[in-house]
Amino acid sequence: MMTTYAWPPDRTFWTSTFPDHTTGRTTPHLFKGIIPAAAAGPQDVLAGFEAIRRAHTAGSAIKAHVRVYVGEDLRDDLLPKALTATSWDADAFVPWMQDIVGADRFSLVLNNLETVSPALAAGLGTFLGSLIDGWGLPLGGAELVAFAGNYAGTAFGIHEGYEDAFLVHLGPNPKNFYCWPAGQYEKLTGGKEPTYGDYQALLEQGEHFLLEPGDALFLPRRVFHVGTQETFSVSVAMALYTYPYAKILQDRIFPDILTSLAGQGPDDPLNEPSEMADAASGPGAVAERLAGIGRELLLLAADRVRQEARQHADQRWATLRSNGGWEMVEGDLARQEAADAFAAEQVTPGAEISLITPYRVVIDGERVLLRGYQAGITPAALDENTVSALNAGSSITLPDSQELLTAVQALGATGGLILTPRIGDTEDTAA
């Protein structure tokens, strides 16, 4: 009998059921029927593809992008046609793609789907929100990567995943999926390189899962895997980017500290020109001088690490939480379209506002963030009850308060609000 899961999964699922079934979150497990059809469907992925095509036609620079494969071959030459051809009719997507690629079998891979499909960002964002509350926040955020097609095998071959992920199967048809622990795969193949072509013998050694619509397969990091299918289906991988702490320090915190310690302007002692190097002493004296100053700077930097780390962690935490846990990227088409659609002139007493799911208002010191962006207001412009009601999913009728109306206009510019104007305002606009 299939287990019935609450939607969204509750805290007990993440703290008990999930780790119990995945050997402490280290082995794959298929959670049958955990994603309701109302939360995500194949049509939401195809709508995201249409949004990418629309942005291409408009010449908009966006992060989301598409790759076209025939078999295991990446066909960049087919991409322009896939992006510009007249759209498919109703349920005729498969023959439309077959005509685009000139072959019976194909696959599309769409990256950063959460930035072009508001429906998936909301539906699977609900799943992500429960994951964050019950398991934890991935410090790099999460990304949605869609795999759509009738391909015989994943275009990447049998390959290794480098981060924890959930593969959500949307159908309409089933998919076979195979997994191998890294140690087993290395023994079978002699290494960690992907396996392409005919790997039927390896499939017989792998752990097999039959994915049906609504299923979610947990794929732990460093597990090798591949999908195969006979008929068209769509799956969406939710990758959880848990960046190494050393990488965050190297990429963000250390450069900020060292830049701040490198001296400001020509009058700063650290910016004094180096002495003329004595030719007789050679480079050794220069190296000693550099090493001495370097040691001094690193000692100063060490004293600054805790402060800078806290500042960076606070900013990263607030940004990701306000963006629903999704990865922050430039070129978020859905965010820009929501911001453009927000009619600031209709923010009047009696209008209603609510948050676009799964985004939330987050207060970080003197900053107010929504959908990952800082609104041009201070926390004093929003009372605690308003913030709590919005984050709880409630709609708020705007009072006659100019301060709040101005704050709402600033929040709307982030692309995180839905505005329902007063009937009179709507009629005036229509007239």
Side-chain angles (χ1 to χ4, degrees), residues 55-127:
H56 177 79
T57 299
S60 302
I62 63 172
K63 176 67 173 178
H65 62 277
V66 181
R67 286 170 283 171
V68 179
Y69 291 87
V70 178
E72 293 170 341
D73 295 329
L74 175 62
R75 296 294 303 273
D76 286 338
D77 58 307
L78 298 174
L79 184 58
K81 186 176 180 182
L83 293 175
T84 59
T86 301
S87 189
W88 55 92
D89 295 325
D91 297 327
F93 177 73
V94 172
W96 182 86
M97 272 301 304
Q98 289 170 329
D99 181 65
I100 293 290
V101 302
D104 289 336
R105 309 193 78 167
F106 65 90
S107 66
L108 287 178
V109 179
L110 289 75
N111 284 85
N112 286 110
L113 190 61
E114 73 282 357
T115 67
V116 289
S117 174
L120 282 180
L124 294 184
T126 300
F127 183 75

Side-chain angles (χ1 to χ4, degrees), residues 404-427:
L404 180 57
L405 297 178
T406 300
V408 168
Q409 290 175 331
L411 289 173
T414 68
L417 278 187
I418 297 172
L419 173 69
T420 304
R422 292 182 312 180
I423 295 177
D425 291 342
T426 305
E427 291 174 349

Side-chain angles (χ1 to χ4, degrees), residues 272-310:
E272 290 181 2
S274 56
E275 308 93 349
M276 298 294 289
D278 181 45
S281 300
V286 175
E288 283 300 311
R289 181 62 177 150
L290 283 171
I293 293 175
R295 280 193 294 269
E296 292 177 14
L297 288 176
L298 289 176
L299 287 172
L300 289 172
D303 291 337
R304 295 275 297 276
V305 167
R306 184 178 297 276
Q307 173 189 340
E308 294 290 335
R310 180 54 190 264

